[in-house]
């Protein structure tokens, strides 16, 4: 049921971040990614994910769109989450896996991280927004297993 709620929030953008300043204070004065992940909120990330949902599906069994389905992507090697999606050679050849640090770099600026990617997205500058989206992607993987 909780997974359905998060999916609905991602689709509708129905989660307001009333605790943003409190969460930033709890992360510390100069927070690392680990600090931000400690205060990240998957439900808020579901709301922020709606901009990603324009190109990425996020439900188990859903087809790929302009980008691959992202359910279960957390922890997977880059360029392997969907067997149906046509990943670029740049993505397939990059190496590594989708962990918090890699997702943070990717979401901040996909074209800088992997020149030659087909992803047409400039990135998200706000570090807490990225951490919330990463928390949501982690949650999507947990609901799948």
């Amino acid at each position: 049921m909780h997974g359905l709620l998060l999916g609905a929030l991602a689709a509708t953008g129905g989660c307001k971040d009333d605790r943003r300043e409190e969460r930033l204070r709890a992360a510390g004065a100069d927070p690392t990614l680990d600090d931000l992940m400690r205060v990240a909120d998957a439900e808020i990330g579901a709301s922020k994910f709606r901009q990603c949902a324009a190109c990425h599906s996020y439900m188990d069994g859903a087809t790929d769109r302009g980008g691959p389905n992202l359910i279960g992507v957390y922890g997977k090697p880059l360029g392997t989450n969907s067997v149906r999606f046509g990943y670029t050679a740049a993505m397939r050849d990059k190496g590594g896996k989708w962990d918090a640090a890699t997702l943070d770099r990717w979401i901040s600026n996909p074209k800088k991280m992997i020149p030659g990617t087909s992803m047409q997205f400039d990135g998200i500058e706000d570090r807490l927004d990225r951490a919330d989206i990463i928390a949501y992607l982690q949650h999507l993987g947990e609901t799948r297993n």
Side-chain angles (χ1 to χ4, degrees), residues 7 19 30 53-54 59 69 114:
R19 298 181 3 259
D30 188 20
M59 303 296 282
N69 185 329
I114 303 179

Side-chain angles (χ1 to χ4, degrees), residues 55-67:
C55 296
H56 294 281
S57 53
Y58 55 92
M59 303 296 282
D60 205 5
T63 60
D64 298 320
R65 296 181 184 166

Side-chain angles (χ1 to χ4, degrees), residues 56-134:
H56 294 281
S57 53
Y58 55 92
M59 303 296 282
D60 205 5
T63 60
D64 298 320
R65 296 181 184 166
N69 185 329
L70 293 182
I71 192 162
V73 73
Y74 193 89
K76 291 261 182 88
L78 276 64
T80 66
N81 196 55
S82 172
V83 295
R84 299 175 305 265
F85 187 75
Y87 294 100
T88 63
M91 175 64 78
R92 289 189 313 269
D93 295 344
K94 178 68 175 173
K97 67 178 182 173
W98 291 117
D99 57 18
T102 304
L103 281 164
D104 186 55
R105 284 192 313 276
W106 176 255
I107 296 168
S108 74
N109 189 334
K111 294 173 195 133
K112 182 177 179 183
M113 181 178 152
I114 303 179
T117 182
S118 61
M119 184 145 163
Q120 299 299 310
F121 181 70
D122 291 333
I124 297 173
E125 187 174 325
D126 187 278
R127 295 176 66 217
L128 184 56
D129 287 352
R130 293 194 312 258
D132 289 336
I133 292 169
I134 294 165

Side-chain angles (χ1 to χ4, degrees), residues 5-17 43-44 46-48 50:
L5 172 63
L6 287 178
L9 287 170
T12 63
C15 190
K16 188 173 180 216
D17 189 356
E43 286 190 34
I44 293 169
S47 176
K48 294 173 184 176
R50 72 177 170 217

